[in-house]
Amino acid sequence: MPVVTPDKLASLQQHADDVRNICILAHVDHGKTSLTDALLATNGIISPKLAGKIRYLDSRPDEQIRGITMESSAISLYFSMMRRSAPDATPQPKEYLINLIDSPGHIDFSSEVSTASRLCDGACVLVDAVEGVCSQTVTVLRQTWVEKLKPLLVLNKIDRLVTELKMTPGEAYIHLNKLLEQVNAVLGSFFQGERMEEDLNWRERMDERVAAAAAKGTKTEDVETDAGSFQFEERDDEELYFAPEKNNVIFSSAVDGWAFTVRQFASLYEKKLGIKRNIMEKVLWGDFYLDPKTKKVLGRKHLKGRNLKPMFVQLVLDQVWAVYQATVGGDHGKGDPVLLEKITKSLNITVPPHIARARDPRLLMTTIFSSWLPLSTALLVSVVESLPSPIAAQAERLPDLLEDSPGSDQIDPKIKEAMIGFKSSKSDPVVAYVSKMVSVPESELPQNKRRGGGQLSAEEARELARRKRAEFAQAQKAENGGQSDLVTALEDVSLDNFVPEAEEKQAETEHLIGFARIYSGTLSVGDELYVLAPKFSPANPHAAPKPQKVTVTSLYMLMGRNLESLDSVPAGVVFGIGGLEGHILKSGTLCSQLEGAVNLAGVTMVGKPIVRVALEPVNPADLDKMIDGLKLLVQSDPCAEYEQFRSGEHVLLTAGELHLERCLTDLKERFARCEIQAGAPIVPYRETIVKAEEMRPPTNKELGRGVVVGVTTSKQVSITVRVRPLPQNVTEFLLKNATSIKRVYSEQKQGAEETDSNKDELEDENVVEMDEEIDKSQTLSLDELKSQLRDVLESGKGRESWKDVVDKVAAFGPRRTGPNLLIDATKDGLFPKVFLGEKLRGDAPGAGEALHASHLCDKVTYAFQLAMSQGPLCHEAVQGVGIVIEDMTVTSTEEDASARDRLGRLTGETIKTVQQAIRQGFLDWSPRLMLAMYSCEIQASTEVLGRVYDVLTRRRGRVLSEQMKEGTPFFTIQSLLPVAESFGFADEMRKRTSGAAQPQLIFAGFEVLDEDPFWVPFTEDDLEDLGELADKENVAKRYMDGVRRKKGLLVEGRGQRVAAEKQKTLKR
């Protein structure tokens, strides 16, 4: 097919009915980019011979080297097909524009999938026919469900069933059937979960109605008749599932360039068997059999014991298998010439002589398949017929999307109507959503590219040759690990070469382009729009940060590696937008009016980054360059974050090891352009306490374990603190409902006047504030939180000691939302209680007023927050601890100083004393470190299973389950792996298994390492077995000491190694 001009594609954007916005989603290595290649070949962008090999949309060098996609990239494709306007009309050629987004499948880049899916209306979900449903397959299916995208299932890599697993067509049919059931089971689980939630909400509403009616004194019969119109709606889930007869399942092999749907074969056999196409479609998949004598279709019960093949096997798979047998089957994989001739005659295909004589049998196979079952036809016809146009999709998707957006009831009806009704005239309000910012070098922008394919001028040719020479010399130098020869050395010091390189470095600046979708109106270059931040709410449009007005400087059509300039874009189009640099950080909404504007950015789902690395430039003079580069990187990457710690460290937060590697490459080569060295990854830990079987006796036997009486240095304040471990279920409940606790706190803060802004500033230095938007529909109210917390506290082991504690909760910590409780057990109930809505009493005493214990309450609460954010083991956050304040007394002194002066002096003393008391009480129990854990999924064949276990065991991994995939030699291993041990894990796994096992790591929370970091043998048996030095490594202490060293804290313990021959003192 000839190359389609950008002008032609731009003209197709005006016909919204003929536009399709789709994304391709799948697990890593399931064939997304190879499938996209086949579609690009139809537009003449790449050669059909290279489709599946070149991976055109993997435009980054590291994507090509690793063979995986790391960034979602978009391209616009032209497709023409014959359509009938009416059943009896003659077919007319109809042109379509398909905006396609190829997304990554690796878990580290799942945020790219979120950004891609928000811009689209439909999705092609690929599943590998051999590997089946994997972890990311479930994730992307959930993404389509949440975003309400219409999915299309592509069962890819069917060629592996023939060539690798050597299945017969009958076995392959059973395998594909099971695979389809697995995918549908995932969708069914989503539907079931949603229905259960709806059912619960319906019951609650009915109960409210009955209760309201009872309060009014209405008869129950009247309520029931009134509820007749309020029946629980039963919803049919049949439309959700994938079924080949519905034409939403495509069978394909992207690498061999073929694909088909049941509809295609139904039309092929329509005349031959004399069965109508619509009937044939329904019986071609499933338990239907063709009677060879009568040519009638039979169900299973009419077989009468005859051994017939299902129609799908007989009419479809047998034919596909025959082509493989004829081309790459037979002896020595040379094929069967007799069968091949028979196939080419029956399909009426002429094979060019040079291909027939070619030594590579695969070339012959791809030629036959591309003539008989071209992949692009099957896929694009299904996309056009099964997936909705922007007009239909917006009418279906947007009402729910707008309802979930912040301040939905305040949105201007005109904007709502324009978005749902798909109004695209110049007078209608413009609403666009920018899902991410893409960094593009200046030379890649359309205005800076050479136009036309004419000859290079002499100057340009010389410049190109010089660049090529420099690149080649650099590559050779890297290969040889130094200077390759004298010529290269002289070239390197040549001034002629040096100056342009410096100029080039200065000139090659990066520009940020918004990756966006327009929902209503028409956007042109020069238009002015408001940029709405993710926290914007139409209820309070002028709240800080105030929305900024920007002018659109350029509009682009996204063509994979290239951009094409546009003058205007109508509603329903995926496009690139310039002029947003410095106004949008990662994502945002663009709107032509501020009052009643809609915020679409408040509903994105992006995974949080957890791998933290401290960066520093090799040359200290490049520090400013690095900081600027980091800011650019954060804007252009949806998941990367940058923080500057109080210690002066510049820390980059990424989603995983591979994501970190990509960020560092971008930083060195594009954004900062200086040498940067990364420190060891900073792994998060948590600290907690447990009641162990063997513990040292309590410090104070009279008061009991964990009780400490703290007295300030001036002996004026005495505080009794009891530290206790919280039950496991309470900790889990508090972690799960952190946003509900934050909502309670923010509501109380709004109601009360801010008393002491200095304390907030101090606290903000210690913690990173939670910046997620509090969505009231998804959080618990104060009463619900209180009743549910009471239930979990008063159930389970040791519930007697937690009875009636809920009414005494004075604070949560750290960050006022964490999984630790401050409980007020003083006689007078000095502290304000969270669930009683009391305000914090931190006022200074009046002129003649004596100093009272209640004046120090806010100081104690602040000390609790500090102690919880920096635990005693290695200054990491504490989890699952209850701090009970049993008594607090203030003794008067003989001094003449006023109470107000004394309070100022006692503030620091009280905070320090409470912190120390909590620390001592904490260490009175058996302290534990909690390790951040990855959930690790590995697919491996039986040959490498032993090596997989070997690598896992060496890195302190724990296998949870091992399942064999039916019909394949593959095992799926589910395990847990500490994040601290995960660096280099994927590389080691690939090396040890020769690339046969690929781990997928997903953050799975924190888990207690059941080992006391301070444990030393103290019982007689232990001393006898292990000796005084305990000849066994204490893993918890190793982790703890590592973090303490990193933070510059004192590392206790012997710094010496004892051996039989010599003693060597090691550096601390």
Side-chain angles (χ1 to χ4, degrees):
M1 192 180 248
V3 176
V4 184
T5 61
D7 300 336
K8 173 75 177 168
L9 294 172
S11 67
L12 287 172
Q13 289 183 347
Q14 306 301 325
H15 311 292
D17 272 328
D18 302 335
V19 174
R20 299 288 183 274
N21 296 317
I22 64 163
C23 51
I24 296 187
L25 309 173
H27 186 77
V28 67
D29 282 341
H30 278 200
K32 296 178 291 299
T33 310
S34 303
L35 183 88
T36 313
D37 272 4
L39 305 183
L40 300 184
T42 63
N43 276 228
I45 297 169
I46 59 171
S47 157
K49 288 179 185 174
L50 295 174
K53 300 178 184 75
I54 199 169
R55 301 197 312 280
Y56 181 81
L57 288 184
D58 284 355
S59 52
R60 297 167 54 96
D62 49 357
E63 288 181 322
Q64 287 288 345
I65 292 163
R66 280 186 173 270
I68 61 168
T69 308
M70 296 185 189
E71 283 181 356
S72 49
S73 40
I75 196 157
S76 296
L77 300 175
Y78 164 86
F79 180 59
S80 174
M81 64 185 276
M82 306 294 277
R83 295 297 295 265
R84 296 175 198 269
S85 53
D88 49 353
T90 54
Q92 298 285 332
K94 190 112 188 272
E95 295 178 328
Y96 292 93
L97 174 72
I98 289 160
N99 293 319
L100 179 139
I101 302 178
D102 179 30
S103 64
H106 196 282
I107 187 72
D108 280 12
F109 309 110
S110 54
S111 58
E112 293 276 351
V113 178
S114 306
T115 58
S117 56
R118 170 52 62 87
L119 303 179
C120 297
D121 303 317
C124 290
V125 178
L126 270 73
V127 178
D128 187 323
V130 175
E131 290 187 6
V133 176
C134 298
S135 58
Q136 276 299 92
T137 314
V138 178
T139 308
V140 297
L141 282 169
R142 184 178 287 111
Q143 194 74 39
T144 60
W145 177 266
V146 169
E147 294 284 356
K148 295 187 169 47
L149 301 180
K150 182 99 183 283
L152 198 63
L153 181 67
V154 181
L155 296 176
N156 194 25
K157 302 197 183 184
I158 292 180
D159 58 293
R160 291 180 69 190
L161 302 182
V162 191
T163 54
E164 274 183 41
L165 300 185
K166 305 279 191 289
M167 285 186 177
T168 63
E171 289 168 346
Y173 170 68
I174 293 165
H175 180 79
L176 292 171
N177 216 338
K178 283 183 178 169
L179 186 54
L180 198 59
E181 281 173 16
Q182 284 175 8
V183 178
N184 284 335
V186 173
L187 287 177
S189 67
F190 299 154
F191 176 78
Q192 192 180 1
E194 194 177 88
R195 291 307 281 158
M196 285 168 75
E197 197 176 329
E198 283 176 10
D199 181 43
L200 183 69
N201 293 342
W202 177 78
R203 286 177 193 282
E204 283 176 0
R205 288 202 300 272
M206 282 301 295
D207 290 345
E208 282 169 19
R209 283 196 167 204
V210 172
K216 284 180 189 171
T218 321
K219 290 182 181 174
T220 320
E221 291 83 3
D222 297 343
V223 177
E224 280 171 12
T225 52
D226 181 36
S229 59
F230 194 65
Q231 286 296 323
F232 181 60
E233 290 175 39
E234 289 299 335
R235 251 170 60 198
D236 185 19
D237 60 346
E238 195 182 338
E239 287 303 308
L240 295 176
Y241 300 119
F242 295 115
E245 59 269 21
K246 285 191 212 162
N247 208 36
N248 61 4
V249 178
I250 299 166
F251 302 89
S252 84
S253 166
V255 76
D256 292 343
W258 60 265
F260 64 85
T261 59
V262 164
R263 181 171 290 179
Q264 259 177 292
F265 272 95
S267 55
L268 282 173
Y269 285 113
E270 185 180 14
K271 289 175 187 169
K272 198 170 182 181
L273 297 174
I275 301 170
K276 284 185 182 173
R277 194 180 82 170
N278 56 352
I279 295 169
M280 193 69 180
E281 275 179 37
K282 288 174 186 169
V283 296
L284 204 49
W285 176 268
D287 280 343
F288 296 102
Y289 304 83
L290 187 69
D291 192 323
K293 292 175 185 172
T294 60
K295 298 286 184 220
K296 283 185 178 175
V297 177
L298 308 173
R300 186 184 279 277
K301 55 185 174 187
H302 298 296
L303 283 177
K304 296 174 184 169
R306 284 184 293 177
N307 189 19
L308 295 180
K309 291 179 183 176
M311 284 178 73
F312 190 75
V313 175
Q314 188 183 350
L315 302 179
V316 181
L317 294 183
D318 276 353
Q319 322 309 318
V320 174
W321 258 243
V323 174
Y324 276 102
Q325 179 63 27
T327 52
V328 293
D331 296 330
H332 311 296
K334 296 287 182 190
D336 185 340
V338 180
L339 182 60
L340 180 63
E341 196 178 335
K342 192 178 169 186
I343 287 168
T344 48
K345 273 185 184 173
S346 63
L347 294 175
N348 200 16
I349 295 169
T350 51
V351 179
H354 71 280
I355 289 175
R357 288 196 301 270
R359 289 186 175 185
D360 183 9
R362 284 186 57 81
L363 188 61
L364 186 61
M365 174 189 69
T366 50
T367 308
I368 291 173
F369 272 130
S370 60
S371 307
W372 178 38
L373 300 171
L375 186 145
S376 53
T377 310
L379 188 68
L380 294 177
V381 168
S382 298
V383 164
V384 166
E385 290 181 347
S386 302
L387 300 183
S389 66
I391 299 175
Q394 283 189 200
E396 194 180 323
R397 283 178 72 201
L398 286 184
D400 291 337
L401 199 69
L402 292 176
E403 204 176 304
D404 292 342
S405 67
S408 55
D409 48 345
Q410 301 289 327
I411 297 170
D412 188 340
K414 200 164 71 171
I415 289 181
K416 260 188 188 173
E417 200 181 316
M419 289 176 75
I420 295 167
F422 198 84
K423 296 190 174 175
S424 58
S425 71
K426 284 290 283 180
S427 57
D428 291 309
V430 174
V431 176
Y433 172 64
V434 180
S435 74
K436 68 168 185 170
M437 301 297 282
V438 182
S439 181
V440 179
E442 192 165 26
S443 58
E444 298 282 316
L445 295 175
Q447 56 265 33
N448 300 330
K449 286 203 161 186
R450 290 186 76 256
R451 285 278 163 211
Q455 283 192 337
L456 293 169
S457 67
E459 192 67 33
E460 286 174 328
R462 273 198 297 274
E463 178 65 18
L464 187 67
R466 191 194 61 72
R467 278 193 197 167
K468 291 279 182 199
R469 275 202 312 276
E471 278 175 22
F472 177 70
Q474 212 169 355
Q476 209 172 26
K477 182 180 167 185
E479 217 173 279
N480 299 347
Q483 294 295 346
S484 54
D485 56 11
L486 188 62
V487 179
T488 324
L490 285 169
E491 257 188 31
D492 275 1
V493 296
S494 148
L495 285 174
D496 197 35
N497 253 6
F498 177 74
V499 179
E501 199 178 353
E503 283 170 12
E504 198 179 305
K505 274 195 174 184
Q506 280 180 345
E508 188 77 341
T509 53
E510 297 277 341
H511 290 273
L512 291 168
I513 306 292
F515 194 38
R517 156 83 183 262
I518 180 167
Y519 288 96
S520 67
T522 298
L523 187 60
S524 305
V525 175
D527 285 0
E528 290 198 330
L529 295 171
Y530 286 100
V531 175
L532 313 179
K535 286 191 176 184
F536 172 85
S537 172
N540 190 2
H542 297 284
K546 198 172 179 190
Q548 296 167 304
K549 206 168 193 180
V550 295
T551 304
V552 177
T553 55
S554 48
L555 294 169
Y556 303 103
M557 183 190 296
L558 302 159
M559 294 296 291
R561 305 175 183 198
N562 307 318
L563 298 168
E564 297 293 343
S565 289
L566 295 171
D567 295 323
S568 67
V569 286
V573 172
V574 174
F575 66 101
I577 178 170
L580 302 178
E581 282 186 60
H583 298 288
I584 284 186
L585 180 59
K586 290 180 186 290
S587 65
T589 311
L590 305 176
C591 198
S592 54
Q593 66 181 67
L594 186 56
E595 301 297 331
V598 59
N599 177 13
L600 297 168
V603 266
T604 47
M605 287 173 50
V606 178
K608 285 279 178 192
I610 58 153
V611 175
R612 299 180 296 172
V613 167
L615 305 178
E616 61 178 8
V618 173
N619 179 2
D622 291 335
L623 183 63
D624 289 343
K625 266 191 194 177
M626 187 187 83
I627 293 170
D628 292 341
L630 276 167
K631 287 174 182 169
L632 255 176
L633 172 74
V634 167
Q635 277 186 281
S636 64
D637 192 306
C639 198
E641 287 179 18
Y642 159 59
E643 282 176 26
Q644 187 170 357
F645 283 6
R646 276 184 309 161
S647 57
E649 285 179 306
H650 298 276
V651 175
L652 180 67
L653 286 87
T654 58
E657 201 178 351
L658 185 61
H659 185 212
L660 171 66
E661 201 175 304
R662 192 198 77 182
C663 287
L664 288 175
T665 306
D666 278 355
L667 206 55
K668 288 174 189 172
E669 293 175 6
R670 292 172 61 191
F671 301 129
R673 286 209 189 82
C674 62
E675 278 303 307
I676 290 170
Q677 58 188 32
I682 306 165
V683 180
Y685 290 90
R686 294 285 180 271
E687 300 179 19
T688 190
I689 49 175
V690 294
K691 187 177 180 181
E693 287 177 14
E694 282 186 7
M695 286 195 287
R696 289 193 175 277
T699 317
N700 193 326
K701 288 181 182 175
E702 291 169 15
L703 295 171
R705 189 177 294 281
V707 182
V708 179
V709 179
V711 182
T712 58
T713 45
S714 61
K715 306 284 189 289
Q716 293 182 43
V717 182
S718 164
I719 302 169
T720 308
V721 177
R722 181 186 291 273
V723 179
R724 295 173 59 192
L726 287 177
Q728 181 68 30
N729 57 340
V730 177
T731 311
E732 284 168 11
F733 174 81
L734 293 173
L735 285 168
K736 192 173 145 195
N737 293 289
T739 41
S740 304
I741 298 167
K742 187 179 182 196
R743 178 188 162 190
V744 168
Y745 170 72
S746 61
E747 283 174 358
Q748 285 182 359
K749 194 176 177 184
Q750 282 168 11
E753 286 182 3
E754 288 197 33
T755 51
D756 197 344
S757 60
N758 294 336
K759 283 197 289 297
D760 280 349
E761 282 169 25
L762 266 169
E763 190 155 337
D764 286 346
E765 281 182 3
N766 282 298
V767 299
V768 182
E769 271 298 321
M770 291 170 66
D771 63 359
E772 58 212 46
E773 193 66 32
I774 297 173
D775 184 358
K776 296 196 176 183
S777 62
Q778 293 173 359
T779 54
L780 303 173
S781 68
L782 181 69
D783 296 334
E784 287 169 336
L785 184 68
K786 182 179 176 179
S787 63
Q788 289 188 26
L789 182 57
R790 177 178 278 123
D791 293 343
V792 290
L793 275 168
E794 295 179 6
S795 62
K797 279 185 179 179
R799 54 181 175 268
E800 293 78 20
S801 53
W802 297 102
K803 211 169 174 61
D804 300 328
V805 159
V806 172
D807 293 326
K808 297 176 183 173
V809 173
F812 298 93
R815 302 204 262 288
R816 309 185 188 93
T817 57
N820 303 293
L821 298 178
L822 177 66
I823 296 154
D824 175 19
T826 53
K827 286 177 190 171
D828 306 328
L830 300 169
F831 290 79
K833 314 297 183 294
V834 172
F835 294 113
L836 300 179
E838 295 173 7
K839 296 181 182 67
L840 199 63
R841 294 195 295 267
D843 304 332
E849 194 182 348
L851 191 63
H852 189 262
S854 63
H855 294 134
L856 295 168
C857 286
D858 59 332
K859 317 314 182 250
V860 174
T861 309
Y862 180 54
F864 162 75
Q865 299 291 355
L866 281 177
M868 294 300 101
S869 62
Q870 292 191 340
L873 299 183
C874 51
H875 281 205
E876 292 286 327
V878 177
Q879 181 171 310
V881 174
I883 309 292
V884 185
I885 306 293
E886 295 192 337
D887 187 34
M888 185 158 76
T889 53
V890 177
T891 53
S892 56
T893 56
E894 303 297 322
E895 289 177 27
D896 296 336
S898 68
R900 192 170 293 187
D901 293 342
R902 284 173 59 204
L903 180 66
R905 209 167 47 231
L906 287 175
T907 297
E909 286 185 14
T910 308
I911 290 171
K912 189 180 172 187
T913 305
V914 173
Q915 267 188 284
Q916 284 176 346
I918 292 173
R919 176 194 162 84
Q920 287 166 20
F922 187 100
L923 296 174
D924 209 8
W925 293 87
S926 189
R928 293 285 185 272
L929 267 185
M930 294 184 82
L931 307 184
M933 300 298 280
Y934 274 135
S935 161
C936 172
E937 185 183 271
I938 304 168
Q939 279 212 339
S941 57
T942 42
E943 296 89 55
V944 297
L945 210 56
R947 293 177 199 167
V948 169
Y949 277 107
D950 182 31
V951 176
L952 269 172
T953 313
R954 213 170 327 141
R955 289 178 175 264
R956 301 187 53 78
R958 191 173 82 247
V959 176
L960 302 176
S961 69
E962 173 192 290
Q963 288 178 329
M964 189 170 189
K965 283 199 178 283
E966 267 185 78
T968 70
F970 290 99
F971 280 86
T972 301
I973 301 150
Q974 295 280 0
S975 58
L976 281 175
L977 181 79
V979 174
E981 303 283 354
S982 70
F983 301 100
F985 171 69
D987 283 342
E988 188 185 354
M989 183 67 79
R990 273 197 296 272
K991 281 175 191 165
R992 295 274 294 142
T993 61
S994 308
Q998 288 272 11
Q1000 284 272 315
L1001 301 171
I1002 306 167
F1003 183 59
F1006 291 88
E1007 190 181 80
V1008 174
L1009 173 63
D1010 199 17
E1011 196 168 349
D1012 187 339
F1014 298 119
W1015 184 86
V1016 286
F1018 63 92
T1019 63
E1020 282 185 17
D1021 292 348
D1022 285 345
L1023 284 165
E1024 195 175 311
D1025 290 347
L1026 302 167
E1028 203 175 313
L1029 296 174
D1031 302 331
K1032 150 179 133 173
E1033 190 194 21
N1034 187 332
V1035 179
K1037 185 167 183 355
R1038 173 159 61 86
Y1039 287 141
M1040 182 182 81
D1041 287 351
V1043 180
R1044 290 184 74 89
R1045 244 179 236 111
K1046 171 99 188 50
K1047 293 184 176 180
L1049 303 170
L1050 175 69
V1051 177
E1052 294 172 354
R1054 291 185 178 84
Q1056 50 185 249
R1057 185 181 291 156
V1058 180
E1061 303 84 17
K1062 60 185 178 181
Q1063 179 174 321
K1064 182 180 176 186
T1065 305
L1066 298 176
K1067 282 183 184 176
R1068 274 193 175 173

